Amino acid sequence: MNKNNLIWLIIIIIDTILVFNVDSTFDGGDSVLHYLQAHQALKTPHYFMNMWAKPLFILFAFPLASYGWIGMKIFNTACILASVYGCKKIFDLNQFNGWYGVFLCFFSYSFFLVQSSGLTEPLFTLFLTWIVFFELKNKSYMSYSLLSFLPFIRSEGYIIILIFLTYSIFL
């Protein structure tokens, strides 16, 4: 096992241990609501089309959320860890030490804590991180394809779409 894989393994183990020792939902309202919607999605299929429930979040989260709160934590932890990996790749792409990106992610306010929630932010972060990465790699077709799904994860996706469209006009 090389050094980078060992570091990732340590990060994943420590992150998972810490996440599963946090009893908070981080947010009392939407966190529980989004978890319940994902948890009950198969019994209440209209959540897959309900914009308030965030259809893409429901689609990705329900397989794990159906196992309970632990499943929801696993889903959000996987989203956060994949986002951290994407951030490392963005830093590496720009000739910075990618481990600084990992460090910045985990010490950003609420980035770590949101893993213990049922919120949609971790999936939104995952998509946004990889949208930026693909755009920086000149793979705009991938970037804009992912971008088109953002409003189905969080309503703020419409704002991000406007920002990216403005960016493309002036590029």
Side-chain angles (χ1 to χ4, degrees):
M1 179 179 286
N2 70 26
K3 180 182 169 187
N4 281 340
N5 290 343
L6 181 62
I7 293 171
W8 277 115
L9 181 63
I10 292 168
I11 288 172
I12 290 168
I13 290 170
I14 291 172
D15 183 57
T16 305
I17 289 169
L18 291 173
V19 166
F20 286 95
N21 281 312
V22 172
D23 290 330
S24 172
T25 62
F26 185 69
D27 172 72
D30 283 347
S31 178
V32 175
L33 179 65
H34 287 301
Y35 157 70
L36 289 173
Q37 289 167 332
H39 179 70
Q40 299 170 348
L42 288 180
K43 296 175 189 158
T44 318
H46 77 274
Y47 287 143
F48 288 103
M49 299 301 289
N50 185 324
M51 281 304 282
W52 180 253
K54 311 304 180 212
L56 204 56
F57 171 78
I58 297 295
L59 181 66
F60 286 134
F62 92 88
L64 288 170
S66 64
Y67 290 104
W69 191 253
I70 297 292
M72 190 75 245
K73 282 185 170 187
I74 291 170
F75 174 75
N76 277 342
T77 298
C79 288
I80 288 296
L81 289 170
S83 299
V84 170
Y85 180 71
C87 191
K88 182 184 182 312
K89 291 187 70 71
I90 290 169
F91 268 66
D92 287 337
L93 187 66
N94 288 297
Q95 320 304 298
F96 293 111
N97 183 340
W99 294 108
Y100 291 138
V102 173
F103 179 81
L104 284 173
C105 284
F106 280 114
F107 288 95
S108 297
Y109 176 74
S110 80
F111 190 84
F112 169 79
L113 296 173
V114 79
Q115 294 175 87
S116 298
S117 74
L119 294 171
T120 59
E121 279 83 345
L123 183 61
F124 190 82
T125 301
L126 174 64
F127 267 65
L128 191 54
T129 301
W130 288 96
I131 287 167
V132 169
F133 174 75
F134 287 129
E135 188 59 32
L136 291 173
K137 289 279 286 185
N138 293 319
K139 294 185 178 181
S140 294
Y141 59 92
M142 284 293 297
S143 180
Y144 284 89
S145 295
L146 290 174
L147 181 67
S148 69
F149 291 107
L150 279 185
F152 299 100
I153 301 170
R154 288 192 54 78
S155 301
E156 291 84 354
Y158 291 114
I159 297 167
I160 303 299
I161 287 174
L162 288 174
I163 292 168
F164 265 79
L165 289 176
T166 305
Y167 162 79
S168 1
I169 290 169
F170 292 108
L171 182 66

